[in-house]
């Protein structure tokens, strides 16, 4: 049996990526392409009184300028949230946020389009904007238009207020998280062209089948008239999970100029035109007894949303599932701000929510003089507190234990400010993390060829997480092939529909589809062999035949074996096809499913110049089976580093007067650079979790980014005695 | 970006002539700031005169020990120059604290001195800005100004100067050599920059046709005992929140002489003459350093959200001087 799953196989596309061979959406060329530039609104609230495009239309190379006054109609508004905004681009004269597209300039070259875009003159009628979440808070409300949110906006068990009032120890605090930008390296790009009423659209999309359906609806086409292709994505993080306005603008413009049209948004438009993680204000109230047993929890979160949509950042969504607390109330509200609609950003809801809840638990631990790990152990939810069902493969206690040991948590002196090294204050902090696992239907085929190779065909998109590699390993192991014998056709709606590449769906859902397809192909090969008189396996019980070294053999008789190549060639079969169609068991599974993590952080802070440095971070995750030790470690480190940025430096601050983002540029929106990153150590405690799905794997991408901010803030408190409840923890907050 | 004519100057006089006749012409050095501003629509020159290939690309030491730095020398090359590292470590450190390796490989000394403020409102042409559009107002006062000035600013403008290198050069009494309409002249670097007052349009006293050709740095006997320290929101590739350049001459526990300049707290590289005055002859102690910081920062008038820069600048100066005593 070839053991491929779990091996630290190098990324199958690594060579192409480092040699420039990998073709991203921006690299795709089509003959006679015209280029579009998108003109953004200069104001953040009001109306466009008029647009004077005459100068732009006369500029060299300009083909057309499209505005709300001359645009073609869309057939329909496709549903949110996968259509990111509940308003089609250029719909009318209303302005909801700064940077909202008000005109599209199409020209022969990108440079000509960009230049002409600066010549478009808009006359605005300004109204007064709601610039910040603080300004909007008094009008917060339970979202009316909820979309596809995974959690209800209100959850209640028991009587939290009463239980809180009766608790001997009480804690009430408010926590704030900043607006964050995904800031991927690759700005979103779309290339669209029409052939009659057939539309081909190359798009830097994390979910081609999901987005194709939206585009088809918008243009009134049957889905099979639209083909969407997303080869590689240069950084997603949820930035490309939803179809943002430019995705609809490219086909619209292509129809107007009757040529292929390319839209690549500018670096600044990455920040305003493809979403963000919305800022939150979260009140947490905890009641406990003096032994640290939690009796009541109220988690009340409000996030900013746009005037277009009620987009809930589900910060209190996972809260009811996390600890064994009898009385819990969770609520999530939204408040309208003159800003764009928030997107899904790693990790939606949970990253922000865990900062509040896991900070509050730390505060409680200090209040009652208990080790923060012990406090969490005492409140461990052995079964899902919401459904009462057993967990599928929860090993959170092992996460605490193994990460604490690796970190050296026993060296921690409990007293804040008690650990020093010269002028450095040293702090140890920890936090837990949890994310409810969900699954999606996913399909794949595996073709086993008479060369002894296999091709996976599935529309999953490689967004950098390593999915092509891990899924290749799954197929290789299923068929007894070396990973190098497996190739992958991916990211195209002409292929079987995989799960979207977001929401940590790839390992569990896309992976299960590939596993089922590989099993199906294997079954076909076995059938062929046992029915073939010339095969050494002729007449064998199919259940006794296994895949082995690029062929088949009897489980107990290594000498009765033959290669796929011999078998298929002798039978003049070019290839055998296996189909995989994974359908999540959902509510009938009998198990509650989630992924879990534990984080331990060491910070050092110069007491005179208090910039927080994370010198060491140790995390342990319970995610079931790890498909590839190398890509998993890499992905988890990436998730951790992303959230270290949120903890220490990232903030897309709104102008307090207009609401316009202050720093829509990588020079000013700081993400961590290499010099910021200390040692990041990652452990996986899990074993295959076959209750979850046939593959035994759960998602890693999202859980890797939950709990880090609290772990850092808790370490900062331990180092300094200062509790920072508002992210990011910049030097000014510690002076 | 507005279309423009690009030309490469062959020598200084013709470069000056090319710009002097045309009010919408600008010099181009490494382009690491000007090209960004053109992309943003903040700068809209109709003609760029590239002076980066003029023969001002060497660093030398004069017989009197002064450094001669050509205006076209790349930041990376200057930072790596043995004479700079030996005699003026604070200058090398300031250069290396700026930007990234890639940017430093492009950026020139002359261009670095003339880079514009990073104030978000200056860079956003949808916003009013007295520096960009005189009389339109300063939204930063009411807006986001966490990283703007605490000293030397005015009602009209609260921007800061972003350069690290210029802070070190301000401390070192550098002299700027110019080629202008009326021929060559020199100017102390601290007099190159002007405070905004009620006319923040111009950052410097230069005429648009003035071309920086060279910067000289006089020998400083205690230049070897110097340091540039920068506090920023991340470990690298970020503009300063506060920075300090300091050189210290201590004998017998007493400060004989010193040079101090702050960065990122003022519209100009801020030479801290009051602090220097307070320190000369004072004991080289933390208390004296703190008193010197107070002497300088007592003039600070922080805005609503940047008062933290005052204690941060104080602590930074005290730590830097303390380390120089120990060193």
């Amino acid at each position: 049996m070839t053991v491929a799953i779990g091996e630290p196989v190098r990324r199958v596309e690594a060579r192409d990526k480092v040699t420039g061979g990998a073709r991203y959406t921006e690299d795709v060329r089509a003959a006679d392409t015209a280029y579009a530039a998108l003109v953004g609104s200069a104001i953040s609230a009001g109306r466009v009184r008029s647009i004077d495009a005459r100068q732009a239309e006369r500029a060299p190379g300009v083909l057309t300028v499209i505005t709300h006054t001359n645009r073609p109609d869309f057939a329909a508004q496709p549903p949110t949230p996968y259509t990111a905004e509940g308003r089609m681009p250029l719909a009318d004269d209303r302005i909801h946020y700064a940077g909202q597209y008000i005109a599209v300039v199409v020209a022969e070259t990108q440079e000509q389009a960009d230049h002409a875009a600066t010549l478009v003159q808009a006359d605005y009628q300004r109204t007064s904007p709601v610039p910040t979440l603080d300004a909007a808070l008094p009008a917060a409300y339970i979202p009316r238009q909820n979309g596809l949110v995974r959690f209800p906006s209100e959850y209640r068990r028991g009587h939290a207020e009463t239980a809180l009032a009766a608790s001997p120890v009480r804690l009430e605090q408010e926590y704030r998280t900043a607006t964050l930008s995904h800031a991927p390296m690759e700005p979103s790009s779309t290339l669209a062209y029409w052939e009659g009423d057939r539309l081909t659209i190359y798009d830097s999309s994390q979910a081609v089948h999901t987005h194709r359906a939206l585009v088809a609806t918008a243009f009134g086409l049957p889905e099979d008239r639209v083909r969407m292709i997303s080869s590689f994505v240069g950084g997603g993080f949820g930035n490309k999970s939803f179809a943002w306005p430019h995705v609809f603008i490219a086909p619209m413009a292509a129809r107007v100029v009757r040529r292929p049209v390319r839209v690549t948004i500018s670096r600044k438009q990455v920040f305003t035109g493809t979403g963000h993680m919305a800022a939150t204000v979260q009140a947490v109230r905890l009641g406990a007894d003096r032994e640290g047993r939690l009796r009541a929890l109220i988690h009340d979160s409000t996030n900013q949303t746009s005037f277009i949509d009620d987009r809930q950042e589900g910060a209190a969504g996972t809260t009811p599932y996390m600890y064994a607390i009898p009385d819990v109330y969770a609520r999530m509200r939204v408040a309208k701000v003159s800003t764009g609609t928030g997107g899904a950003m790693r990790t939606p809801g949970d990253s922000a929510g865990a900062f509040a809840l896991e900070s509050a638990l730390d505060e409680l631990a200090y209040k009652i003089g208990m080790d923060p790990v012990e406090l969490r152990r005492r409140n461990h939810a052995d079964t899902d507190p919401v459904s009462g069902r057993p967990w599928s493969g929860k090993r959170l206690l092992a996460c605490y234990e193994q990460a604490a040991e690796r970190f050296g948590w026993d060296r921690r002196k409990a007293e804040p400010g008690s650990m020093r090294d010269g002028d450095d204050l040293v702090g140890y902090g920890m936090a837990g993390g949890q994310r409810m696992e969900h699954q999606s239907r996913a399909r794949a085929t595996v073709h086993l060829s008479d060369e002894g190779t296999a091709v996976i065909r599935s529309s999953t998109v490689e967004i950098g997480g390593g999915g092509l590699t891990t899924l290749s390993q799954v197929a290789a192991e299923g068929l007894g092939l070396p990973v190098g014998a497996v190739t992958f056709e991916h990211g195209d709606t002409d292929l079987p529909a995989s799960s979207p590449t977001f929401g940590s769906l790839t390992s569990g859902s896309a992976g299960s589809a590939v596993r089922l397809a590989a099993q199906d192909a294997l079954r076909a090969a076995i059938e062929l062999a046992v029915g073939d008189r010339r095969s050494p396996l002729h007449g064998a019980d199919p259940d006794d035949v296994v895949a082995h070294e690029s062929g088949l053999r009897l489980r107990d008789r290594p000498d009765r074996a033959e290669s796929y190549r011999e078998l298929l060639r002798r039978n003049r079969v070019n290839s055998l096809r296996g189909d995989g169609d994974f359908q999540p068991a959902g509510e009938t599974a009998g198990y509650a499913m989630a992924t879990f993590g534990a984080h331990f952080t060491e910070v050092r802070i110069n007491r005179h110049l208090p910039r927080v440095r994370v010198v060491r971070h140790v995390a342990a995750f319970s995610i079931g089976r790890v498909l590839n030790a190398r890509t998993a470690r890499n992905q988890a480190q990436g998730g951790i580093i992303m959230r270290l940025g949120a903890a220490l430096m990232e903030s897309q601050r709104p102008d307090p007067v207009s609401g316009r983002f202050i720093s829509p540029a990588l020079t000013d929106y700081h993400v961590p650079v290499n010099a910021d990153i200390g040692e990041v150590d990652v452990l996986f405690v899990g074993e295959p979790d076959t209750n979850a799905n046939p593959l035994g794997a759960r998602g890693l991408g999202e859980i890797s980014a939950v709990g880090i901010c609290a772990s850092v803030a808790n370490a900062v408190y331990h180092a300094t005695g200062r509790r920072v409840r508002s992210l990011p923890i910049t030097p000014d907050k510690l002076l | 970006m507005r279309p423009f004519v690009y030309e490469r100057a062959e020598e200084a006089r013709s470069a000056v002539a090319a710009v002097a006749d045309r009010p919408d012409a600008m010099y181009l050095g490494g382009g690491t700031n000007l090209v960004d501003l053109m992309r943003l629509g903040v700068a809209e020159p109709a003609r760029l005169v590239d002076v980066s290939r003029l023969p001002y690309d060497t660093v030398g030491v004069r017989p009197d020990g002064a450094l001669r730095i050509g205006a076209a020398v790349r930041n990376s090359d200057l930072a790596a120059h043995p004479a700079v590292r030996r005699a003026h470590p604070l200058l090398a450190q300031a250069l290396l604290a700026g930007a990234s390796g890639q940017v430093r490989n492009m950026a020139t000394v002359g261009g670095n001195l003339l880079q514009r403020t990073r104030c978000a409102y200056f860079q956003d042409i949808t916003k009013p800005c007295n520096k960009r559009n005189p009389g339109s107002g300063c939204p930063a006062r009411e807006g986001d100004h966490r990283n703007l000035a605490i000293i030397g600013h005015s009602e009209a403008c609260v921007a800061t100067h972003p350069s690290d290198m210029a802070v070190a050069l301000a401390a070192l009494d550098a002299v700027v050599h110019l080629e202008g309409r009326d021929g060559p002249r020199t100017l102390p670097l601290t007099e190159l920059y002007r405070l905004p007052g009620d006319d923040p349009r111009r950052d410097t006293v230069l005429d648009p046709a003035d071309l920086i050709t060279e910067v000289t740095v006089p020998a400083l006997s205690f230049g070897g005992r110097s340091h540039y320290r920068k506090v920023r929101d991340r470990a690298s590739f970020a503009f300063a929140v506060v920075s300090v350049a300091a050189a210290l001459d201590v004998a017998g526990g007493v400060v004989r002489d010193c040079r101090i300049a702050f960065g990122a707290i003022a519209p100009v590289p801020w030479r801290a003459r009051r602090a220097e005055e307070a320190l000369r002859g004072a004991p080289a102690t933390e208390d004296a350093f703190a008193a010197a910081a107070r002497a300088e920062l007592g003039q600070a008038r922080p805005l609503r959200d940047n008062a933290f820069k005052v204690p941060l600048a104080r602590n930074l100066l005290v730590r830097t001087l303390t380390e120089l005593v120990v060193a």
Side-chain angles (χ1 to χ4, degrees):
Chain A
M1 193 71 188
T2 309
V3 180
I5 296 178
E7 288 295 302
V9 176
R10 286 179 202 279
R11 286 168 188 269
V12 296
E13 79 283 14
R15 187 179 181 83
D16 279 347
K17 281 188 171 171
V18 298
T19 57
R23 200 170 72 147
Y24 289 83
T25 300
E26 246 287 318
D27 300 323
V28 177
R29 292 286 171 265
D32 205 29
T33 297
Y35 295 82
L38 308 180
V39 181
S41 166
I43 66 167
S44 44
R47 287 175 185 270
V48 177
R49 205 177 274 138
S50 63
I51 292 180
D52 181 354
R54 285 171 300 181
Q55 215 190 334
E57 284 163 347
R58 284 197 301 270
V62 171
L63 300 169
T64 189
V65 179
I66 308 169
T67 70
H68 67 280
T69 61
N70 66 349
R71 60 161 174 80
D73 284 337
F74 288 103
Q77 163 78 49
T80 60
Y82 294 139
T83 302
E85 292 183 358
R87 172 190 179 276
M88 294 308 280
L90 310 179
D92 52 34
D93 61 351
R94 287 161 167 273
I95 301 297
H96 303 281
Y97 61 94
Q100 177 190 314
Y101 305 133
I102 58 167
V104 179
V105 179
V106 188
E108 295 287 348
T109 70
Q110 187 70 59
E111 290 76 12
Q112 289 170 334
D114 289 345
H115 171 237
T118 68
L119 303 176
V120 174
Q121 301 290 324
D123 180 26
Y124 299 101
Q125 180 188 330
R126 292 167 191 264
T127 55
S128 76
V130 180
T132 59
L133 177 54
D134 274 322
L137 266 184
Y141 58 96
I142 298 270
R144 291 181 279 267
Q145 156 218 338
N146 221 344
L148 276 174
V149 295
R150 297 172 55 218
F151 302 101
S153 299
E154 258 189 310
Y155 170 88
R156 198 187 302 272
R157 72 170 175 259
H159 302 280
E161 289 280 357
T162 315
L164 187 69
S167 297
V169 185
R170 286 189 294 276
L171 185 135
E172 174 170 358
Q173 288 296 350
E174 184 178 274
Y175 303 87
R176 285 166 176 259
T177 61
T179 298
L180 301 177
S181 291
H182 308 75
M185 267 204 277
E186 176 200 38
S188 291
S189 185
T190 307
L191 170 68
Y193 57 86
W194 295 86
E195 292 158 300
D197 64 352
R198 289 189 173 276
L199 172 62
T200 301
I201 179 163
Y202 288 84
D203 183 56
S204 47
S205 161
Q206 291 180 232
V208 287
H209 273 98
T210 310
H211 293 172
R212 173 177 74 166
L214 307 174
V215 170
T217 301
F219 290 92
L221 298 168
E223 280 189 41
D224 62 9
R225 299 275 170 77
V226 182
R227 181 180 179 194
M228 186 180 272
I229 300 160
S230 176
S231 46
F232 290 108
V233 166
F237 320 115
N239 182 250
K240 293 144 181 159
S241 296
F242 297 165
W244 292 94
H246 66 273
V247 177
F248 301 98
I249 287 173
M252 177 182 76
R255 213 168 218 183
V256 171
V257 300
R258 299 173 180 283
R259 288 168 62 171
V261 168
R262 154 85 64 193
V263 178
T264 300
I265 64 170
S266 70
R267 177 58 68 186
K268 285 199 176 303
Q269 287 166 344
V270 172
F271 293 92
T272 55
T274 54
H276 52 260
M277 185 189 287
T280 68
V281 176
Q282 302 174 55
V284 176
R285 298 162 73 194
L286 279 175
D289 63 23
R290 301 203 182 280
E291 287 70 49
R293 272 178 292 270
L294 295 167
R295 292 184 173 186
L297 166 61
I298 297 174
H299 188 175
D300 191 0
S301 170
T302 304
N303 67 268
Q304 74 187 33
T305 191
S306 71
F307 278 90
I308 302 172
D309 298 282
D310 283 4
R311 184 72 39 84
Q312 175 175 307
E313 178 70 29
T318 301
T319 298
Y321 301 83
M322 284 187 70
Y323 293 103
I325 311 174
D327 297 271
V328 175
Y329 176 67
R331 179 171 75 158
M332 291 171 279
R333 297 188 300 163
V334 295
K336 287 207 179 287
V337 175
S338 302
T339 189
T341 303
M345 179 170 160
R346 188 194 205 183
T347 297
D350 295 328
S351 281
F355 168 63
L357 183 56
E358 293 293 308
S359 290
L361 279 180
D362 199 65
E363 298 203 45
L364 179 66
Y366 281 98
K367 196 165 182 172
I368 61 174
M370 181 174 286
D371 183 297
V373 179
E374 179 57 26
L375 177 66
R376 286 168 175 81
R377 275 202 201 99
R378 290 195 182 183
N379 294 286
H380 182 261
D382 297 335
T383 56
D384 170 18
V386 174
S387 69
R389 286 196 291 248
W391 293 107
S392 182
K394 177 178 183 178
R395 303 200 63 217
L396 178 59
L397 292 173
C399 290
Y400 293 145
E401 190 179 331
Q402 292 181 28
E405 190 188 332
R406 177 74 65 93
F407 181 83
W409 183 250
D410 56 354
R411 293 196 300 271
R412 168 181 175 269
K413 293 180 199 155
E415 183 69 19
S418 63
M419 293 173 68
R420 293 196 176 196
D421 182 2
D423 271 347
D424 275 352
L425 307 174
V426 178
Y428 285 7
M430 65 81 54
Q434 179 170 333
R435 182 176 186 277
M436 299 310 291
E437 171 89 351
H438 66 144
Q439 298 185 327
S440 158
R441 185 174 183 192
R443 278 170 283 190
T445 60
V446 171
H447 292 261
L448 176 63
S449 83
D450 65 357
E451 297 287 339
T453 60
V455 180
I456 305 170
R457 304 182 78 238
S458 185
S459 74
T460 189
V461 176
E462 176 57 78
I463 64 169
L468 295 189
T469 309
T470 55
L471 301 190
S472 295
Q473 289 173 260
V474 170
E477 176 156 311
L479 289 166
L481 298 173
V483 176
V486 179
T487 54
F488 209 134
E489 293 176 17
H490 56 97
D492 186 337
T493 53
D494 277 1
L495 299 168
S498 187
S499 47
T501 312
F502 55 66
S504 282
L505 293 168
T506 300
S507 295
S509 301
S512 290
V514 170
R515 183 171 184 89
L516 293 171
Q519 285 171 344
D520 197 38
L522 178 64
R523 193 157 41 239
I526 292 170
E527 266 174 36
L528 187 63
V530 299
D532 175 4
R533 252 179 254 144
R534 291 162 297 176
S535 170
L537 296 163
H538 178 249
D541 181 342
D543 291 344
D544 292 338
V545 183
V546 295
H548 179 70
E549 288 184 358
S550 302
L552 302 173
R553 68 165 226 205
L554 271 185
R555 184 178 286 109
D556 303 323
R557 291 276 307 277
D559 57 312
R560 283 186 64 188
E562 73 170 330
S563 69
Y564 295 129
R565 185 187 160 95
E566 288 171 87
L567 172 68
L568 269 67
R569 292 204 165 183
R570 191 175 60 243
N571 285 282
R572 298 179 192 284
V573 173
N574 291 332
S575 79
L576 292 170
R577 167 180 164 154
D579 291 315
D581 185 351
F582 171 69
Q583 313 239 21
E587 292 297 309
T588 62
Y591 290 92
M593 274 188 287
T595 46
F596 307 90
H599 296 274
F600 291 78
T601 307
E602 177 181 337
V603 299
R604 283 172 178 254
I605 305 168
N606 182 293
R607 65 193 175 96
H608 308 289
L609 306 167
R611 189 170 65 78
V612 178
R613 290 168 291 140
V614 171
V615 296
R616 221 154 53 85
H617 186 95
V618 177
F621 298 104
S622 167
I623 56 164
R625 186 176 201 177
V626 173
L627 299 183
N628 178 322
R630 186 191 300 264
T631 57
R633 179 179 168 79
N634 177 243
Q635 189 178 33
Q637 287 176 323
I640 291 164
I641 291 164
M642 189 167 174
R643 291 305 293 177
L644 291 177
L648 298 180
M649 61 191 78
E650 292 187 39
S651 174
Q652 189 57 264
R653 296 199 300 277
D655 172 32
V657 177
S658 67
R660 191 182 183 87
F661 288 154
I662 285 291
S663 48
L666 288 173
T667 34
D668 307 302
Y669 182 82
H670 290 155
V671 298
V673 295
N674 273 322
D676 289 297
I677 302 162
E679 189 185 322
V680 178
D681 202 357
V682 174
L683 305 164
F684 298 100
V685 300
E687 55 227 13
D689 173 15
T690 46
N691 300 319
N693 53 53
L695 194 53
R698 301 193 300 269
L700 170 62
E702 307 279 18
I703 186 61
S704 70
V706 180
I708 292 93
C709 290
S711 188
V712 172
N714 296 343
V716 168
Y717 177 76
H718 182 238
T720 64
R722 274 184 191 243
R723 179 64 64 178
V724 180
R725 302 187 182 89
S726 172
L727 297 178
I729 308 171
T730 43
D732 45 308
K733 293 178 182 168
L734 295 172
L735 270 167
Chain B
M1 190 188 285
R2 172 176 166 182
F4 59 90
V5 174
Y6 170 90
E7 66 180 77
R8 182 177 295 164
E10 300 300 333
E11 45 99 24
R13 288 309 311 164
S14 65
V16 172
V19 172
D21 299 347
R22 297 189 180 85
D24 52 2
M26 291 180 80
Y27 296 123
L28 174 72
T32 57
N33 183 223
L34 178 56
V35 174
D36 283 353
L37 293 174
M38 290 167 68
R39 288 206 172 107
L40 293 169
V42 173
E44 294 195 295
R47 177 175 296 259
L48 287 183
V49 178
D50 183 350
V51 295
S52 65
R53 314 269 178 109
L54 293 181
Y56 304 114
D57 57 350
T58 57
V59 180
V61 183
R62 283 196 322 216
D64 64 356
L67 269 180
R68 300 175 59 235
I69 305 165
V73 169
R74 306 285 165 169
N75 283 193
S76 303
D77 293 332
L78 183 58
H81 198 279
V84 175
R85 295 169 56 131
R86 188 175 54 246
H88 304 289
L90 81 174
L91 177 55
Q93 290 162 8
L95 284 156
L96 293 177
S100 68
Q102 293 93 329
V103 175
R104 293 193 295 269
N105 286 343
M106 290 295 292
T108 62
V109 168
N112 184 311
L113 292 177
L114 297 184
Q115 63 185 301
R116 309 299 305 276
T117 182
R118 307 302 300 193
C119 173
Y121 300 95
F122 173 73
Q123 296 186 76
D124 181 350
I125 58 167
T126 70
K127 290 283 179 245
C129 170
N130 287 326
K131 189 180 276 299
R132 205 171 5 83
N133 187 7
S136 61
C138 175
R141 280 200 156 268
E142 294 305 311
D144 187 289
H145 51 239
R146 174 180 177 269
N147 207 16
L148 298 180
I150 56 171
I151 200 165
H153 53 297
S154 68
E155 268 311 304
C157 184
V158 295
T160 49
H161 195 268
S163 171
D164 293 297
M165 180 191 76
V167 179
L169 290 176
L172 289 170
D173 295 311
V175 175
V176 177
H177 298 247
L178 303 161
E179 188 73 40
R181 290 173 199 266
D182 306 319
R185 69 183 200 279
T186 62
L187 199 61
L189 182 127
T190 48
E191 290 172 31
L192 170 71
Y193 297 104
R194 56 182 294 282
L195 293 175
D198 54 11
D199 178 16
R201 271 178 304 175
R202 289 184 304 134
D203 304 339
T204 69
V205 300
L206 298 187
D207 176 83
D210 282 338
L211 175 67
I212 299 176
T213 56
E214 191 174 273
V215 175
T216 50
V217 181
L220 183 65
S221 61
F222 54 96
R225 185 178 286 243
S226 69
H227 204 31
Y228 182 80
R229 279 190 77 168
K230 175 175 178 178
V231 176
R232 44 190 152 176
D233 287 330
R234 65 177 170 190
S236 179
F237 206 3
F239 288 93
V241 175
V242 175
S243 70
V244 69
L248 191 66
D249 183 13
V250 178
V254 172
V255 176
R256 282 204 303 214
D257 201 359
C258 61
R259 300 283 185 278
I260 300 168
F262 284 108
I265 64 168
V268 301
W270 189 262
R271 179 68 179 266
R273 295 194 193 277
R274 292 186 192 188
E276 290 179 10
E277 199 48 47
L279 270 184
R280 286 193 188 96
T285 63
E286 282 203 29
D287 285 348
F289 299 153
R294 273 196 301 278
E296 194 67 44
L297 297 167
Q299 316 163 68
R301 289 175 294 126
L303 307 167
R304 183 192 64 221
D305 294 330
N306 69 0
F308 73 95
K309 283 191 169 190
V310 178
L312 196 58
R314 178 199 62 216
N315 290 1
L316 186 63
L317 179 61
V318 172
R319 295 330 300 163
T320 304
L321 294 174
T322 305
E323 284 169 24
L324 286 174
V325 173
V326 176

